[in-house]
Amino acid sequence: TKVGLILPPGAVEKEDVQGGKVVAMGPGTALPPPTDDFEEPWKSNGGTPRYLPMQVRIDDYAVFFRKAAIEITFQDIRYLVVPQSAILALVRDQEDSIPDTLPEDF
């Protein structure tokens, strides 16, 4: 918001909160393959994997719980791998943001 980012008091007092720019992301949460009611669930249907897409985008600024992050070093650069469940808020450019008001024809 124009005023700032508001975090619940419990989030700040109990956990260390950190932020950073998103440079890469995974495909999302894996979903089970679709099955027919008559097919046994343990049989492989050979389908392609399906994923529930992530809400985060590259170049977002993410505010997250530091304790949930895993620190790795790749080619002498330090990165934090953060699970989607540990992200508290995402900050995007204005043009991609969610509007504050409903459309007039709603």
Side-chain angles (χ1 to χ4, degrees):
T1 66
K2 293 180 182 178
V3 178
L5 182 65
I6 300 173
L7 296 176
V12 178
E13 293 169 3
K14 295 179 184 176
E15 300 276 348
D16 289 331
V17 177
Q18 186 174 345
K21 182 180 175 184
V22 177
V23 295
M25 60 185 204
T29 305
L31 296 173
T35 58
D36 295 332
D37 293 336
F38 303 110
E39 189 176 325
E40 279 77 12
W42 58 83
K43 288 185 180 177
S44 174
N45 64 358
T48 58
R50 300 180 316 145
Y51 296 96
L52 181 66
M54 298 181 69
Q55 296 175 354
V56 67
R57 297 182 201 159
I58 293 176
D59 290 331
D60 284 352
Y61 185 83
V63 178
F64 56 90
F65 288 127
R66 176 65 174 104
K67 289 183 180 180
I70 299 170
E71 185 175 329
I72 63 168
T73 303
F74 181 71
Q75 296 180 349
D76 296 329
I77 301 174
R78 187 182 75 127
Y79 296 98
L80 293 175
V81 179
V82 181
Q84 182 167 312
S85 60
I87 297 175
L88 297 172
L90 296 171
V91 180
R92 295 196 172 119
D93 291 334
Q94 259 323 74
E95 61 191 46
D96 292 338
S97 66
I98 298 172
D100 292 334
T101 60
L102 292 173
E104 292 180 17
D105 59 348
F106 184 70

Coordinates of all heavy atoms in Angstrom, one line a residue, residues 10-105:
G10 N 2.3 -11.1 15.8 CA 2.8 -12.4 16.1 C 3.9 -12.8 15.1 O 4.8 -13.5 15.4
A11 N 3.7 -12.4 13.8 CA 4.7 -12.8 12.8 C 6.1 -12.1 13.1 O 7.1 -12.8 12.9 CB 4.2 -12.3 11.4
V12 N 6.1 -10.9 13.6 CA 7.3 -10.2 13.8 C 8.0 -10.7 15.1 O 9.2 -10.8 15.3 CB 7.1 -8.7 13.8 CG1 8.4 -8.0 14.1 CG2 6.6 -8.3 12.4
E13 N 7.1 -10.9 16.2 CA 7.7 -11.2 17.5 C 8.2 -12.6 17.6 O 9.2 -12.9 18.2 CB 6.5 -11.0 18.5 CG 6.1 -9.6 18.7 CD 4.9 -9.4 19.5 OE1 4.4 -10.5 20.0 OE2 4.4 -8.3 19.7
K14 N 7.5 -13.6 16.9 CA 7.9 -15.0 17.1 C 8.9 -15.5 16.1 O 9.6 -16.4 16.3 CB 6.6 -15.8 17.0 CG 5.7 -15.6 18.2 CD 4.5 -16.5 18.0 CE 3.4 -16.2 19.1 NZ 2.2 -16.9 19.0
E15 N 8.9 -14.9 14.9 CA 9.7 -15.3 13.8 C 10.6 -14.2 13.3 O 10.1 -13.0 13.3 CB 8.9 -15.9 12.7 CG 8.0 -17.0 13.0 CD 8.7 -18.4 13.0 OE1 9.8 -18.4 12.5 OE2 8.1 -19.3 13.5
D16 N 11.7 -14.5 12.8 CA 12.5 -13.5 12.1 C 12.0 -13.4 10.7 O 11.8 -14.4 9.9 CB 14.0 -14.0 12.0 CG 14.7 -13.9 13.3 OD1 14.3 -13.1 14.1 OD2 15.6 -14.7 13.5
V17 N 11.6 -12.2 10.2 CA 11.1 -11.9 8.9 C 12.1 -11.3 8.1 O 12.9 -10.4 8.5 CB 9.8 -11.0 9.1 CG1 9.3 -10.7 7.7 CG2 8.8 -11.7 9.9
Q18 N 12.2 -11.7 6.8 CA 13.2 -11.2 5.9 C 12.6 -11.0 4.6 O 11.5 -11.6 4.3 CB 14.4 -12.1 5.8 CG 15.6 -11.6 5.0 CD 16.8 -12.5 5.0 OE1 16.9 -13.4 5.9 NE2 17.7 -12.3 4.1
G19 N 13.2 -10.2 3.7 CA 12.7 -10.0 2.4 C 13.7 -10.1 1.3 O 14.9 -10.0 1.7
G20 N 13.4 -10.4 0.1 CA 14.3 -10.5 -1.0 C 13.7 -10.5 -2.3 O 12.5 -10.8 -2.4
K21 N 14.4 -10.3 -3.4 CA 13.9 -10.4 -4.7 C 13.9 -11.8 -5.2 O 14.9 -12.6 -5.0 CB 14.9 -9.5 -5.6 CG 14.4 -9.5 -7.0 CD 15.4 -8.6 -7.9 CE 15.0 -8.6 -9.3 NZ 15.9 -7.9 -10.1
V22 N 12.9 -12.2 -5.9 CA 12.7 -13.5 -6.5 C 13.5 -13.6 -7.8 O 13.2 -12.8 -8.7 CB 11.2 -13.9 -6.7 CG1 11.1 -15.2 -7.4 CG2 10.4 -13.8 -5.4
V23 N 14.4 -14.5 -7.9 CA 15.3 -14.7 -9.1 C 14.9 -15.9 -9.9 O 15.3 -16.0 -11.0 CB 16.8 -14.6 -8.8 CG1 17.2 -13.3 -8.2 CG2 17.2 -15.7 -7.8
A24 N 14.3 -16.9 -9.2 CA 13.9 -18.1 -9.9 C 12.8 -18.8 -9.1 O 12.6 -18.4 -7.9 CB 15.0 -19.1 -10.0
M25 N 12.0 -19.7 -9.7 CA 11.0 -20.4 -9.0 C 10.7 -21.7 -9.6 O 11.1 -22.0 -10.7 CB 9.7 -19.6 -9.0 CG 9.1 -19.3 -10.4 SD 7.7 -18.3 -10.3 CE 6.9 -18.7 -11.8
G26 N 10.1 -22.6 -8.8 CA 9.8 -24.0 -9.3 C 8.5 -24.0 -10.1 O 7.9 -23.0 -10.2
P27 N 8.1 -25.2 -10.5 CA 6.9 -25.3 -11.3 C 5.6 -25.1 -10.5 O 4.6 -24.8 -11.1 CB 7.0 -26.7 -11.9 CG 7.8 -27.5 -10.9 CD 8.8 -26.5 -10.4
G28 N 5.7 -25.4 -9.2 CA 4.5 -25.3 -8.4 C 4.3 -26.5 -7.6 O 5.2 -27.4 -7.5
T29 N 3.1 -26.7 -7.0 CA 2.8 -27.9 -6.2 C 2.4 -29.0 -7.1 O 1.5 -28.8 -7.9 CB 1.7 -27.5 -5.1 OG1 2.2 -26.4 -4.4 CG2 1.5 -28.7 -4.2
A30 N 3.0 -30.2 -6.9 CA 2.6 -31.3 -7.8 C 1.2 -31.8 -7.4 O 0.9 -31.9 -6.2 CB 3.6 -32.4 -7.6
L31 N 0.5 -32.1 -8.4 CA -0.9 -32.6 -8.3 C -0.9 -34.1 -8.7 O -0.2 -34.5 -9.5 CB -1.9 -31.8 -9.2 CG -2.1 -30.4 -8.9 CD1 -2.9 -29.7 -9.9 CD2 -2.7 -30.2 -7.5
P32 N -1.8 -34.9 -8.0 CA -1.8 -36.3 -8.4 C -2.4 -36.4 -9.8 O -3.2 -35.6 -10.3 CB -2.8 -36.9 -7.4 CG -3.6 -35.8 -6.9 CD -2.7 -34.5 -7.0
P33 N -2.0 -37.5 -10.5 CA -2.6 -37.7 -11.9 C -4.1 -37.9 -11.8 O -4.6 -38.5 -10.9 CB -1.8 -38.9 -12.4 CG -1.3 -39.6 -11.2 CD -1.1 -38.6 -10.1
P34 N -4.8 -37.5 -12.8 CA -6.2 -37.8 -12.9 C -6.5 -39.3 -13.0 O -5.8 -40.0 -13.8 CB -6.7 -37.0 -14.1 CG -5.5 -36.8 -14.9 CD -4.4 -36.8 -14.0
T35 N -7.4 -39.8 -12.3 CA -7.7 -41.2 -12.4 C -9.2 -41.4 -12.6 O -10.0 -40.6 -12.2 CB -7.4 -42.0 -11.1 OG1 -8.1 -41.4 -10.0 CG2 -5.9 -41.9 -10.8
D36 N -9.5 -42.5 -13.3 CA -10.9 -42.9 -13.5 C -11.4 -43.6 -12.2 O -10.6 -44.2 -11.5 CB -11.1 -43.8 -14.7 CG -10.7 -43.1 -16.0 OD1 -10.9 -41.9 -16.0 OD2 -10.3 -43.8 -16.9
D37 N -12.7 -43.6 -12.0 CA -13.2 -44.3 -10.8 C -13.0 -45.8 -10.8 O -12.9 -46.4 -9.8 CB -14.7 -44.0 -10.7 CG -15.0 -42.5 -10.4 OD1 -14.1 -41.9 -9.8 OD2 -16.1 -42.1 -10.7
F38 N -12.9 -46.4 -12.0 CA -12.7 -47.8 -12.2 C -11.3 -48.3 -12.2 O -11.0 -49.4 -12.2 CB -13.4 -48.3 -13.5 CG -14.9 -47.9 -13.5 CD1 -15.3 -46.9 -14.4 CD2 -15.8 -48.5 -12.6 CE1 -16.6 -46.5 -14.4 CE2 -17.1 -48.1 -12.7 CZ -17.5 -47.1 -13.6
E39 N -10.4 -47.3 -12.2 CA -8.9 -47.7 -12.3 C -8.3 -47.7 -10.9 O -8.7 -46.9 -10.1 CB -8.2 -46.6 -13.2 CG -6.8 -47.0 -13.5 CD -6.2 -46.0 -14.4 OE1 -6.9 -45.4 -15.2 OE2 -5.0 -45.7 -14.2
E40 N -7.4 -48.7 -10.7 CA -6.8 -48.8 -9.4 C -5.8 -47.6 -9.3 O -5.1 -47.3 -10.2 CB -6.0 -50.1 -9.3 CG -6.8 -51.3 -8.9 CD -7.7 -51.8 -10.1 OE1 -7.4 -51.4 -11.2 OE2 -8.6 -52.6 -9.8
P41 N -5.7 -46.9 -8.1 CA -4.9 -45.7 -7.9 C -3.4 -46.0 -8.0 O -2.7 -45.1 -8.3 CB -5.3 -45.2 -6.6 CG -5.9 -46.3 -5.9 CD -6.5 -47.2 -6.9
W42 N -3.0 -47.2 -7.8 CA -1.5 -47.5 -7.8 C -1.0 -47.8 -9.2 O 0.2 -47.8 -9.4 CB -1.2 -48.7 -6.9 CG -1.9 -49.9 -7.2 CD1 -1.5 -50.8 -8.2 CD2 -3.1 -50.4 -6.7 NE1 -2.4 -51.9 -8.3 CE2 -3.4 -51.6 -7.3 CE3 -4.0 -50.0 -5.7 CZ2 -4.6 -52.4 -7.0 CZ3 -5.1 -50.7 -5.4 CH2 -5.4 -51.9 -6.1
K43 N -1.9 -47.9 -10.2 CA -1.4 -48.2 -11.5 C -1.0 -46.8 -12.1 O -1.6 -45.8 -12.0 CB -2.5 -48.8 -12.4 CG -2.8 -50.2 -12.1 CD -3.8 -50.8 -13.0 CE -4.1 -52.2 -12.7 NZ -5.2 -52.7 -13.6
S44 N 0.1 -46.9 -12.8 CA 0.6 -45.7 -13.5 C -0.1 -45.5 -14.8 O -0.2 -46.4 -15.6 CB 2.1 -45.8 -13.7 OG 2.6 -44.7 -14.5
N45 N -0.6 -44.3 -15.0 CA -1.3 -44.0 -16.3 C -0.3 -43.4 -17.3 O -0.7 -43.1 -18.4 CB -2.5 -43.2 -16.1 CG -2.2 -41.8 -15.6 OD1 -1.1 -41.5 -15.3 ND2 -3.2 -41.0 -15.4
G46 N 0.9 -43.1 -17.0 CA 1.9 -42.6 -17.9 C 1.7 -41.2 -18.4 O 2.2 -40.7 -19.3
G47 N 0.8 -40.4 -17.7 CA 0.5 -39.0 -18.1 C 1.6 -38.1 -17.7 O 2.5 -38.4 -16.9
T48 N 1.5 -36.9 -18.2 CA 2.5 -35.9 -17.9 C 2.2 -35.3 -16.5 O 1.0 -35.2 -16.1 CB 2.5 -34.7 -18.9 OG1 1.2 -34.2 -19.0 CG2 2.9 -35.3 -20.3
P49 N 3.2 -34.9 -15.7 CA 3.0 -34.3 -14.4 C 2.2 -33.0 -14.5 O 2.3 -32.2 -15.4 CB 4.4 -34.1 -13.9 CG 5.3 -34.4 -14.9 CD 4.6 -35.0 -16.1
R50 N 1.3 -32.8 -13.5 CA 0.5 -31.6 -13.4 C 0.9 -30.8 -12.2 O 1.3 -31.4 -11.2 CB -1.0 -31.9 -13.4 CG -1.5 -32.7 -14.6 CD -3.0 -33.0 -14.5 NE -3.3 -33.4 -13.2 CZ -4.5 -33.2 -12.6 NH1 -5.4 -32.4 -13.2 NH2 -4.8 -33.6 -11.4
Y51 N 0.9 -29.5 -12.3 CA 1.3 -28.7 -11.1 C 0.3 -27.6 -10.9 O -0.3 -27.0 -11.8 CB 2.7 -28.0 -11.4 CG 3.8 -29.0 -11.5 CD1 4.2 -29.5 -12.8 CD2 4.4 -29.5 -10.4 CE1 5.2 -30.4 -12.9 CE2 5.4 -30.4 -10.5 CZ 5.8 -30.9 -11.7 OH 6.8 -31.8 -11.9
L52 N 0.1 -27.2 -9.6 CA -0.7 -26.1 -9.3 C 0.3 -24.9 -9.3 O 1.3 -24.9 -8.6 CB -1.3 -26.2 -7.9 CG -2.1 -25.1 -7.3 CD1 -3.4 -25.0 -8.1 CD2 -2.5 -25.3 -5.9
P53 N 0.0 -23.9 -10.2 CA 1.0 -22.8 -10.4 C 1.2 -22.0 -9.1 O 0.3 -21.9 -8.3 CB 0.4 -21.9 -11.5 CG -0.9 -22.4 -11.7 CD -1.2 -23.7 -11.0
M54 N 2.4 -21.5 -9.0 CA 2.8 -20.7 -7.8 C 2.3 -19.2 -8.0 O 2.1 -18.8 -9.1 CB 4.3 -20.6 -7.7 CG 4.9 -22.0 -7.4 SD 6.7 -22.0 -7.2 CE 6.8 -21.2 -5.6
Q55 N 2.0 -18.6 -6.9 CA 1.6 -17.2 -6.9 C 2.7 -16.2 -7.2 O 2.5 -15.1 -7.7 CB 0.9 -16.8 -5.6 CG -0.4 -17.6 -5.4 CD -1.0 -17.3 -4.0 OE1 -0.4 -16.6 -3.2 NE2 -2.1 -17.9 -3.8
V56 N 3.9 -16.6 -6.8 CA 5.1 -15.7 -6.9 C 5.5 -15.7 -8.4 O 5.3 -16.6 -9.1 CB 6.2 -16.2 -6.0 CG1 6.7 -17.5 -6.5 CG2 7.3 -15.2 -5.9
R57 N 6.1 -14.5 -8.7 CA 6.7 -14.3 -10.1 C 8.1 -13.8 -10.0 O 8.5 -13.2 -8.9 CB 5.9 -13.3 -10.8 CG 4.4 -13.6 -11.1 CD 3.8 -12.5 -11.9 NE 2.3 -12.6 -11.7 CZ 1.5 -11.5 -12.0 NH1 2.0 -10.4 -12.4 NH2 0.2 -11.7 -11.8
I58 N 8.8 -14.0 -11.0 CA 10.2 -13.5 -11.0 C 10.2 -12.0 -10.9 O 9.3 -11.4 -11.5 CB 11.0 -14.0 -12.3 CG1 11.1 -15.6 -12.2 CG2 12.3 -13.4 -12.4 CD1 11.7 -16.2 -13.4
D59 N 11.1 -11.4 -10.2 CA 11.3 -10.0 -9.9 C 10.3 -9.5 -8.8 O 10.3 -8.3 -8.5 CB 11.1 -9.1 -11.2 CG 12.3 -9.3 -12.1 OD1 13.4 -9.6 -11.6 OD2 12.1 -9.1 -13.3
D60 N 9.5 -10.3 -8.3 CA 8.7 -9.9 -7.1 C 9.6 -9.7 -5.9 O 10.7 -10.3 -5.9 CB 7.6 -11.0 -6.7 CG 6.5 -11.0 -7.6 OD1 6.3 -10.2 -8.5 OD2 5.6 -12.0 -7.5
Y61 N 9.2 -8.9 -5.0 CA 9.9 -8.8 -3.7 C 9.1 -9.6 -2.7 O 7.9 -9.3 -2.5 CB 10.0 -7.3 -3.2 CG 10.8 -7.2 -2.0 CD1 12.2 -7.1 -2.0 CD2 10.2 -7.1 -0.8 CE1 12.9 -7.0 -0.9 CE2 10.9 -6.9 0.4 CZ 12.3 -6.9 0.3 OH 13.1 -6.8 1.5
A62 N 9.6 -10.6 -2.1 CA 8.9 -11.5 -1.2 C 9.3 -11.3 0.3 O 10.5 -11.1 0.5 CB 9.2 -13.0 -1.5
V63 N 8.4 -11.2 1.1 CA 8.6 -11.1 2.6 C 8.3 -12.5 3.1 O 7.2 -13.0 2.9 CB 7.7 -10.0 3.2 CG1 8.0 -10.0 4.7 CG2 8.0 -8.7 2.6
F64 N 9.2 -13.1 3.9 CA 9.1 -14.5 4.3 C 9.7 -14.7 5.6 O 10.4 -13.9 6.2 CB 9.7 -15.4 3.2 CG 11.2 -15.1 3.0 CD1 12.2 -15.7 3.7 CD2 11.6 -14.2 2.0 CE1 13.5 -15.4 3.5 CE2 12.9 -13.9 1.8 CZ 13.9 -14.5 2.6
F65 N 9.3 -15.9 6.2 CA 9.9 -16.3 7.5 C 11.3 -16.8 7.2 O 11.5 -17.7 6.4 CB 9.1 -17.5 8.1 CG 7.8 -17.0 8.7 CD1 6.6 -17.6 8.3 CD2 7.7 -16.0 9.6 CE1 5.4 -17.3 8.9 CE2 6.5 -15.6 10.2 CZ 5.4 -16.2 9.8
R66 N 12.3 -16.3 7.9 CA 13.7 -16.6 7.6 C 14.0 -18.0 8.1 O 14.8 -18.7 7.4 CB 14.6 -15.6 8.4 CG 16.1 -15.9 8.3 CD 16.6 -15.8 6.9 NE 18.1 -16.0 6.8 CZ 18.7 -17.0 6.4 NH1 18.0 -18.1 6.0 NH2 20.0 -17.1 6.4
K67 N 13.4 -18.5 9.1 CA 13.7 -19.9 9.6 C 13.3 -20.9 8.6 O 13.9 -22.0 8.7 CB 13.0 -20.1 11.0 CG 13.6 -19.3 12.1 CD 13.0 -19.6 13.4 CE 13.6 -18.8 14.5 NZ 13.0 -19.1 15.8
A68 N 12.4 -20.7 7.7 CA 11.9 -21.7 6.8 C 12.8 -21.7 5.6 O 12.8 -22.7 4.8 CB 10.5 -21.4 6.3
A69 N 13.7 -20.7 5.4 CA 14.5 -20.7 4.2 C 15.8 -21.5 4.3 O 16.3 -21.7 5.4 CB 15.0 -19.2 4.0
I70 N 16.2 -22.1 3.2 CA 17.4 -22.9 3.2 C 18.5 -22.1 2.4 O 18.2 -21.7 1.3 CB 17.2 -24.3 2.5 CG1 16.1 -25.0 3.3 CG2 18.4 -25.0 2.4 CD1 15.6 -26.3 2.6
E71 N 19.6 -21.9 3.0 CA 20.7 -21.1 2.3 C 21.6 -22.0 1.5 O 22.0 -23.1 2.0 CB 21.5 -20.4 3.4 CG 22.5 -19.4 2.8 CD 23.2 -18.6 3.8 OE1 22.6 -18.3 4.9 OE2 24.4 -18.3 3.6
I72 N 21.8 -21.7 0.2 CA 22.7 -22.4 -0.6 C 23.6 -21.4 -1.3 O 23.3 -20.2 -1.4 CB 22.0 -23.2 -1.7 CG1 21.2 -22.3 -2.7 CG2 21.1 -24.3 -1.1 CD1 20.7 -23.1 -3.9
T73 N 24.8 -21.9 -1.7 CA 25.7 -21.1 -2.5 C 26.0 -21.7 -3.8 O 26.3 -22.9 -3.9 CB 27.1 -20.9 -1.7 OG1 26.8 -20.4 -0.4 CG2 28.0 -20.1 -2.5
F74 N 25.7 -21.0 -4.9 CA 25.9 -21.5 -6.2 C 26.7 -20.5 -7.0 O 26.4 -19.4 -7.1 CB 24.5 -21.7 -6.9 CG 24.6 -22.2 -8.3 CD1 24.9 -23.6 -8.5 CD2 24.3 -21.4 -9.4 CE1 25.0 -24.1 -9.8 CE2 24.3 -21.9 -10.7 CZ 24.7 -23.2 -10.9
Q75 N 27.9 -21.0 -7.5 CA 28.8 -20.2 -8.3 C 29.2 -18.9 -7.5 O 29.2 -17.8 -8.0 CB 28.3 -19.8 -9.7 CG 28.1 -21.0 -10.5 CD 27.5 -20.7 -11.9 OE1 27.1 -19.5 -12.2 NE2 27.5 -21.6 -12.8
D76 N 29.5 -19.1 -6.2 CA 29.9 -18.1 -5.3 C 28.9 -17.0 -5.0 O 29.2 -15.9 -4.6 CB 31.2 -17.4 -5.8 CG 32.4 -18.4 -5.8 OD1 32.4 -19.3 -4.9 OD2 33.3 -18.3 -6.7
I77 N 27.6 -17.3 -5.3 CA 26.5 -16.4 -5.0 C 25.6 -17.1 -4.0 O 25.2 -18.2 -4.2 CB 25.8 -16.0 -6.3 CG1 26.7 -15.3 -7.3 CG2 24.6 -15.0 -5.9 CD1 26.1 -15.0 -8.6
R78 N 25.3 -16.3 -2.9 CA 24.4 -16.9 -1.9 C 23.0 -16.7 -2.2 O 22.5 -15.6 -2.6 CB 24.7 -16.2 -0.6 CG 24.0 -16.8 0.6 CD 24.4 -16.0 1.9 NE 23.6 -14.8 1.8 CZ 22.9 -14.3 2.8 NH1 22.8 -15.0 3.9 NH2 22.2 -13.2 2.7
Y79 N 22.2 -17.8 -2.1 CA 20.7 -17.8 -2.4 C 20.0 -18.3 -1.2 O 20.5 -19.1 -0.5 CB 20.4 -18.6 -3.7 CG 21.0 -18.1 -4.9 CD1 22.1 -18.6 -5.5 CD2 20.4 -17.1 -5.7 CE1 22.7 -18.2 -6.6 CE2 20.9 -16.6 -6.8 CZ 22.1 -17.2 -7.3 OH 22.6 -16.7 -8.5
L80 N 18.7 -17.9 -1.1 CA 17.8 -18.5 -0.1 C 16.7 -19.2 -0.9 O 16.0 -18.6 -1.7 CB 17.2 -17.5 0.8 CG 18.2 -16.8 1.7 CD1 17.5 -15.7 2.5 CD2 18.8 -17.8 2.7
V81 N 16.5 -20.5 -0.6 CA 15.4 -21.3 -1.1 C 14.3 -21.2 -0.1 O 14.4 -21.7 1.0 CB 15.8 -22.7 -1.4 CG1 14.6 -23.5 -2.0 CG2 17.0 -22.7 -2.4
V82 N 13.1 -20.6 -0.5 CA 12.0 -20.4 0.4 C 10.8 -21.2 -0.1 O 10.4 -21.0 -1.2 CB 11.7 -18.9 0.5 CG1 10.5 -18.7 1.5 CG2 12.9 -18.1 0.9
P83 N 10.2 -22.0 0.8 CA 9.0 -22.7 0.4 C 7.8 -21.7 0.3 O 7.8 -20.7 1.0 CB 8.7 -23.7 1.5 CG 9.5 -23.3 2.6 CD 10.6 -22.4 2.1
Q84 N 6.9 -21.9 -0.6 CA 5.8 -21.0 -0.9 C 5.0 -20.8 0.4 O 4.5 -19.7 0.7 CB 4.9 -21.6 -2.0 CG 3.7 -20.6 -2.3 CD 3.0 -21.0 -3.6 OE1 3.6 -21.2 -4.6 NE2 1.7 -21.0 -3.5
S85 N 4.9 -21.8 1.3 CA 4.1 -21.7 2.5 C 4.7 -20.7 3.5 O 4.1 -20.2 4.4 CB 3.9 -23.0 3.2 OG 5.2 -23.6 3.5
A86 N 6.0 -20.4 3.3 CA 6.7 -19.4 4.3 C 6.6 -18.0 3.8 O 7.0 -17.1 4.5 CB 8.1 -19.8 4.4
I87 N 6.1 -17.7 2.6 CA 6.0 -16.4 2.1 C 4.8 -15.7 2.7 O 3.6 -16.2 2.7 CB 5.9 -16.4 0.6 CG1 7.1 -17.0 0.0 CG2 5.6 -14.9 0.0 CD1 7.1 -17.1 -1.5
L88 N 5.0 -14.5 3.3 CA 4.0 -13.7 4.0 C 3.3 -12.7 3.0 O 2.1 -12.5 3.0 CB 4.5 -12.9 5.1 CG 5.1 -13.8 6.3 CD1 5.8 -12.9 7.3 CD2 4.0 -14.6 6.9
A89 N 4.1 -12.1 2.2 CA 3.6 -11.1 1.2 C 4.5 -11.0 0.0 O 5.7 -11.3 0.1 CB 3.5 -9.7 2.0
L90 N 3.8 -10.5 -1.1 CA 4.6 -10.3 -2.3 C 4.3 -8.8 -2.7 O 3.2 -8.3 -2.7 CB 4.1 -11.2 -3.4 CG 4.3 -12.7 -3.2 CD1 3.5 -13.5 -4.3 CD2 5.8 -13.0 -3.3
V91 N 5.4 -8.2 -3.1 CA 5.3 -6.8 -3.6 C 5.7 -6.8 -5.1 O 6.7 -7.3 -5.5 CB 6.3 -5.9 -2.8 CG1 6.1 -4.4 -3.3 CG2 6.0 -6.0 -1.3
R92 N 4.8 -6.2 -5.9 CA 5.0 -6.2 -7.4 C 5.0 -4.7 -7.8 O 4.6 -3.8 -7.1 CB 3.9 -6.9 -8.1 CG 3.9 -8.4 -7.8 CD 3.1 -9.1 -8.8 NE 3.3 -10.5 -8.6 CZ 2.3 -11.4 -8.3 NH1 1.1 -11.0 -8.2 NH2 2.6 -12.6 -8.1
D93 N 5.4 -4.5 -9.1 CA 5.2 -3.2 -9.7 C 3.8 -2.8 -9.8 O 2.9 -3.7 -9.8 CB 5.8 -3.3 -11.2 CG 7.3 -3.4 -11.2 OD1 7.9 -3.0 -10.2 OD2 7.8 -4.0 -12.2
Q94 N 3.5 -1.5 -9.8 CA 2.1 -1.0 -9.8 C 1.3 -1.6 -11.0 O 0.1 -1.9 -10.8 CB 2.1 0.5 -9.9 CG 1.9 1.3 -8.7 CD 0.9 0.8 -7.7 OE1 1.2 -0.1 -7.0 NE2 -0.2 1.4 -7.6
E95 N 1.9 -1.8 -12.2 CA 1.1 -2.2 -13.3 C 0.6 -3.6 -13.2 O -0.4 -4.0 -13.8 CB 1.9 -2.0 -14.6 CG 3.2 -2.9 -14.6 CD 4.1 -2.5 -15.7 OE1 4.3 -1.3 -16.0 OE2 4.6 -3.5 -16.4
D96 N 1.3 -4.4 -12.4 CA 0.9 -5.8 -12.2 C 0.1 -6.0 -10.9 O -0.3 -7.1 -10.6 CB 2.1 -6.7 -12.2 CG 2.8 -6.8 -13.5 OD1 2.1 -6.5 -14.5 OD2 4.0 -7.2 -13.5
S97 N -0.2 -5.0 -10.2 CA -0.8 -5.2 -8.9 C -2.3 -5.4 -9.0 O -2.9 -5.1 -10.0 CB -0.5 -4.0 -8.0 OG -1.1 -2.8 -8.5
I98 N -2.9 -5.8 -7.9 CA -4.3 -6.0 -7.8 C -4.9 -4.6 -7.6 O -4.5 -3.9 -6.7 CB -4.6 -7.0 -6.7 CG1 -4.0 -8.3 -7.0 CG2 -6.1 -7.1 -6.5 CD1 -4.1 -9.3 -5.8
P99 N -6.0 -4.3 -8.3 CA -6.6 -3.0 -8.1 C -7.3 -2.8 -6.7 O -7.7 -3.8 -6.1 CB -7.7 -2.9 -9.2 CG -7.9 -4.3 -9.6 CD -6.7 -5.1 -9.3
D100 N -7.3 -1.6 -6.2 CA -7.9 -1.3 -4.9 C -9.4 -1.2 -5.0 O -10.1 -1.3 -4.0 CB -7.3 0.0 -4.4 CG -5.9 -0.1 -4.0 OD1 -5.4 -1.3 -3.7 OD2 -5.2 0.9 -4.0
T101 N -10.0 -1.0 -6.2 CA -11.4 -0.8 -6.3 C -12.0 -1.8 -7.3 O -11.3 -2.3 -8.2 CB -11.8 0.6 -6.7 OG1 -11.2 0.8 -8.0 CG2 -11.3 1.6 -5.7
L102 N -13.3 -2.1 -7.2 CA -14.0 -2.9 -8.2 C -14.2 -2.2 -9.5 O -14.4 -0.9 -9.5 CB -15.3 -3.4 -7.6 CG -15.2 -4.4 -6.4 CD1 -16.6 -4.6 -5.8 CD2 -14.6 -5.7 -6.8
P103 N -14.4 -2.8 -10.6 CA -14.7 -2.2 -11.8 C -16.1 -1.5 -11.7 O -16.9 -2.0 -11.0 CB -14.7 -3.3 -12.9 CG -14.0 -4.4 -12.3 CD -14.1 -4.3 -10.8
E104 N -16.3 -0.4 -12.5 CA -17.5 0.3 -12.4 C -18.7 -0.5 -12.9 O -19.8 -0.4 -12.4 CB -17.5 1.6 -13.3 CG -16.5 2.6 -12.7 CD -16.4 3.8 -13.5 OE1 -17.3 4.0 -14.4 OE2 -15.4 4.6 -13.4
D105 N -18.5 -1.4 -13.8 CA -19.7 -2.3 -14.3 C -19.9 -3.5 -13.5 O -20.7 -4.4 -13.8 CB -19.4 -2.6 -15.8 CG -18.1 -3.4 -16.0 OD1 -17.3 -3.5 -15.0 OD2 -18.0 -4.0 -17.1

